[in-house]
C-alpha cells in the first residue's frame, strides 16, 4: 500500500468517527455497510487471497465502536460475523485436514451446553444465556479451523492487522470528541465510562491496546520515510493516550506485553550489524512512551499514576487489585470442585452468583475460571488445546513474528475481559497461520 492511499484510509476513518459522533444513526448504516461490502468483496474475489480475514479483522476492530454508538443489530453481531466469514472462507478455499485439534475443541464444548439445558432455571432464557457464553469459544474454534496452517505472506498479516486497527482509530477520534476535557469527568482512579465513550472501559481499553500494538508494529516495519514515521507516531500517541485515560489497566498492559514480546523476537532475529540501529529506535520509542505517560499524568492530575500503583484518589493503597474479580474467581473454582468432570453447565455460574447476591448480574471476567466451572475437566482439556497448539506449530513456523504476541493477547485478555468481544478469539486464530516473509522488515530510517 502506498503512502497516499494509507493516509486517505486514515483520513476516511477519522471522518467516520466525526460523522457518527454528530449523527449517531449513521452507526447502524456503518454496521450494515461493513457486512454488505464484506460479503460483496469475498464473493467477488472468491477468497483467492484470504479476503475473509481482512473483513473479519475489520468487523473485530469495529465491534466496540458499534456497541458504543448503538450500531450493532445484535449485541454479539461481531462474533457471528467472524464465524460466518470464516465459514464462507472454508467454502471457497477449504481448510487443513490437520485442524483436528480445533474440531476436538468444539466437540468438548458440547457437554457443557447439554448440561446447561438441564441445570438452568426454568425462568431463564436458555437459548440467549447459552449463546452469550458460548459464542466466544465457538468463534475461536471456527476461526481457528479456517486459519490452521493456512499459508500467508507477512505483508498480508500486516494488512490484516491494519484492517483491524482502522476502526480502532475511528473509535479514538470519537473518544476525543466525546470527552474533550478530562478534568471535568475525572473524580477517582476507577475505570471511567465518561472517558470511554459512555461504554465499558474494559472493552474499550482492550481494543485500544491492540490498536497501540498494531501502530507500533507499523512504526518498525511499515514506516519507510520520516513522514510516515511521524504520521504513525502521532496516531500511536493518540491511541495510547485515549487507552490510558479509560483507567482500565488490563487492555493497555496486554498491549504493552505484546510490544515487549514483539521487540524481543525482532531483536534476537536481527543481524548484529542492524541491532545498533534497532537499539537506537527502541531508545527513541522508550522516550516517546515516557513523554506520553508524563502528558497523561499531567492531564489527569496524577490520577493515572495512582491507578497503576493500585491507589485511590487520596493515595491510599487499595486492598485488592481485582475490583471484586477475586470473589468471582473463588466462586467459580468452588463450582468446579463441586462438579469436576463436566462442570455445572454453560451460563450456570452467572445464574448461581445472581441467586447468591440477591439478583445482581455479575458476569465473569476470567474465561479460564468460567470454563473450569461450566465445563469442568473437559474445559481444562479444551484450554490446553488452545494454548499449546500454536506453540507446537511454531516449531515449523519460525517466520511468524507475531505468533506469541497473538497467543498472549488471547491469554491475557480472557483473564481480565473473558471473551465478551470477538477480538481475543479472532486474534488468537491468526497465531495459527503459516507465515512466509516476502520482504525484509524496515527497521532503519534515513
Amino acid at each position: 500500500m502506498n503512502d497516499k492511499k494509507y493516509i486517505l484510509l486514515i483520513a476516511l476513518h477519522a471522518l467516520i468517527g466525526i460523522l457518527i459522533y454528530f449523527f449517531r444513526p449513521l452507526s447502524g448504516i456503518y454496521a450494515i455497510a461493513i457486512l454488505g461490502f464484506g460479503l460483496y468483496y469475498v464473493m467477488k474475489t472468491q477468497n483467492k487471497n484470504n479476503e475473509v480475514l481482512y473483513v473479519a479483522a475489520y468487523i473485530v476492530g469495529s465491534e466496540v465502536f458499534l456497541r458504543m454508538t448503538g450500531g450493532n443489530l445484535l449485541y454479539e453481531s461481531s462474533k457471528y460475523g467472524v464465524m460466518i466469514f470464516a465459514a464462507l472462507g472454508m467454502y471457497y478455499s477449504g481448510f487443513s485436514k490437520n485442524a483436528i485439534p480445533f474440531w476436538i475443541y468444539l466437540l468438548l464444548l458440547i457437554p457443557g451446553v447439554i448440561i446447561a439445558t438441564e441445570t438452568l432455571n426454568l425462568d431463564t432464557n436458555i437459548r440467549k444465556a447459552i449463546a452469550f457464553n458460548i459464542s466466544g469459544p465457538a468463534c475461536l474454534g471456527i476461526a481457528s479451523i479456517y486459519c490452521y496452517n493456512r499459508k500467508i505472506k507477512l505483508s498480508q498479516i500486516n494488512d490484516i492487522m491494519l484492517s483491524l486497527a482502522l476502526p480502532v482509530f475511528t473509535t479514538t477520534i470519537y473518544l476525543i470528541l466525546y470527552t474533550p476535557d478530562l478534568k471535568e469527568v475525572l473524580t477517582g482512579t476507577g475505570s471511567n465510562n465518561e472517558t470511554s465513550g459512555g461504554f465499558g472501559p474494559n472493552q474499550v481499553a482492550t481494543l485500544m491496546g491492540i490498536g497501540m500494538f498494531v501502530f507500533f508494529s507499523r512504526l518498525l516495519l511499515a514506516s519507510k520515510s520520516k513522514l510516515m514515521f511521524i504520521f504513525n507516531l502521532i496516531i500511536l500517541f493518540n491511541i495510547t493516550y485515549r487507552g490510558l485515560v479509560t483507567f482500565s489497566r488490563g487492555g493497555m498492559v496486554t498491549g504493552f506485553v505484546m510490544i515487549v514480546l514483539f521487540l524481543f523476537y525482532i531483536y534476537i532475529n536481527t543481524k548484529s550489524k542492524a541491532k545498533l540501529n534497532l537499539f537506537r529506535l527502541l531508545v527513541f520509542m522508550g522516550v516517546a512512551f515516557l513523554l506520553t505517560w508524563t502528558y497523561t499524568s499531567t492531564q489527569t492530575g496524577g490520577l493515572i499514576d495512582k491507578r497503576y500503583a493500585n491507589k485511590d484518589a487520596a493515595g491510599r493503597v487499595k486492598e485488592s487489585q481485582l475490583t471484586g474479580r477475586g470473589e468471582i474467581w473463588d466462586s467459580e473454582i468452588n463450582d468446579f470442585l463441586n462438579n469436576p468432570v463436566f462442570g455445572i453447565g454453560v451460563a450456570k455460574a452467572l445464574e448461581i452468583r445472581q441467586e447468591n447476591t440477591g439478583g445482581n448480574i455479575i458476569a465473569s471476567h476470567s474465561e479460564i475460571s468460567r470454563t473450569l466451572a461450566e465445563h469442568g475437566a473437559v474445559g481444562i482439556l479444551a484450554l490446553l488445546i488452545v494454548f499449546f497448539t500454536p506453540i507446537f506449530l511454531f516449531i515449523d513456523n519460525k517466520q511468524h513474528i507475531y505468533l506469541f504476541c497473538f497467543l498472549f493477547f488471547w491469554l491475557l485478555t480472557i483473564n481480565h475481559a473473558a471473551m465478551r468481544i470477538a477480538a481475543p478469539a479472532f486474534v488468537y486464530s491468526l497465531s495459527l497461520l503459516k507465515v512466509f516473509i516476502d520482504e525484509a522488515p524496515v527497521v532503519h530510517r534515513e
Side-chain angles (χ1 to χ4, degrees), residues 309-323:
N310 195 43
K311 296 179 180 179
D312 62 18
R316 296 168 298 201
V317 177
K318 297 178 182 178
E319 291 183 9
S320 171
Q321 297 186 31
L322 301 176
T323 59

Side-chain angles (χ1 to χ4, degrees), residues 128-140:
K128 187 176 180 180
I130 291 176
F132 177 79
N133 286 275
I134 209 69
S135 58
C139 180
L140 184 148

Side-chain angles (χ1 to χ4, degrees), residues 64-302:
V64 169
F65 178 66
L66 291 175
R67 285 183 179 180
M68 181 189 300
T69 55
N72 269 338
L73 300 176
L74 299 171
Y75 193 76
E76 302 293 342
S77 289
S78 296
K79 293 174 188 174
Y80 297 139
V82 171
M83 288 188 275
I84 289 169
F85 279 99
L88 195 58
M90 286 187 266
Y91 170 76
Y92 283 118
S93 309
F95 54 87
S96 172
K97 63 181 180 181
N98 295 319
I100 295 173
F102 291 97
W103 288 110
I104 296 174
Y105 169 78
L106 289 174
L107 290 173
L108 291 173
L109 300 176
I110 295 175
V113 174
I114 295 174
I115 292 172
T117 61
E118 299 294 329
T119 59
L120 289 174
N121 295 335
L122 294 176
D123 58 347
T124 297
N125 186 327
I126 294 177
R127 183 197 62 79
K128 187 176 180 180
I130 291 176
F132 177 79
N133 286 275
I134 209 69
S135 58
C139 180
L140 184 148
I142 293 172
S144 295
I145 290 171
Y146 174 80
C147 289
Y148 192 94
N149 251 349
R150 187 172 295 275
K151 295 179 180 179
I152 195 168
K153 293 179 180 179
L154 178 62
S155 60
Q156 289 178 288
I157 288 197
N158 288 331
D159 288 342
I160 290 166
M161 289 167 56
L162 176 61
S163 184
L164 188 155
L166 285 171
V168 174
F169 180 67
T170 296
T171 310
T172 303
I173 297 298
Y174 183 87
L175 293 176
I176 292 171
L177 295 171
Y178 190 92
T179 317
D181 188 354
L182 296 179
K183 293 177 182 177
E184 290 183 0
V185 297
L186 291 179
T187 57
T189 60
S191 297
N192 196 308
N193 282 58
E194 288 300 314
T195 60
S196 306
F199 193 66
N202 201 358
Q203 295 181 25
V204 175
T206 297
L207 265 295
M208 292 293 113
I210 187 71
M212 178 177 73
F213 170 75
V214 172
F215 282 102
F216 180 87
S217 70
R218 294 194 70 81
L219 277 179
L220 264 66
L221 306 183
S223 300
K224 298 181 180 180
S225 67
K226 286 184 178 179
L227 173 63
M228 292 312 301
F229 185 81
I230 294 171
F231 186 71
N232 283 321
L233 188 64
I234 292 171
I235 295 173
L236 175 61
F237 167 80
N238 279 281
I239 290 177
T240 303
Y241 172 65
R242 283 293 154 179
L244 287 172
V245 298
T246 64
F247 279 73
S248 183
R249 295 167 293 189
M252 299 308 292
V253 171
T254 298
F256 181 75
V257 170
M258 292 176 75
I259 288 173
V260 171
L261 289 171
F262 176 62
L263 289 174
F264 178 75
Y265 186 91
I266 291 291
Y267 186 80
I268 63 175
N269 288 281
T270 299
K271 294 180 181 179
S272 57
K273 291 183 179 180
K275 283 187 176 179
L276 179 59
N277 291 329
L278 181 59
F279 179 75
R280 289 172 179 167
L281 180 62
L282 298 186
V283 170
F284 173 81
M285 291 309 303
V287 172
F289 274 117
L290 180 61
L291 291 174
T292 302
W293 181 273
T294 302
Y295 178 79
T296 307
S297 179
T298 301
Q299 292 299 305
T300 60

Side-chain angles (χ1 to χ4, degrees), residues 49-50 54 150-160 399 402 433-439:
N49 291 298
N50 294 301
Y54 295 88
R150 187 172 295 275
K151 295 179 180 179
I152 195 168
K153 293 179 180 179
L154 178 62
S155 60
Q156 289 178 288
I157 288 197
N158 288 331
D159 288 342
I160 290 166
Q399 295 188 48
Y402 299 116
L433 294 166
K434 177 73 172 177
V435 178
F436 296 91
I437 295 179
D438 48 341
E439 56 187 14

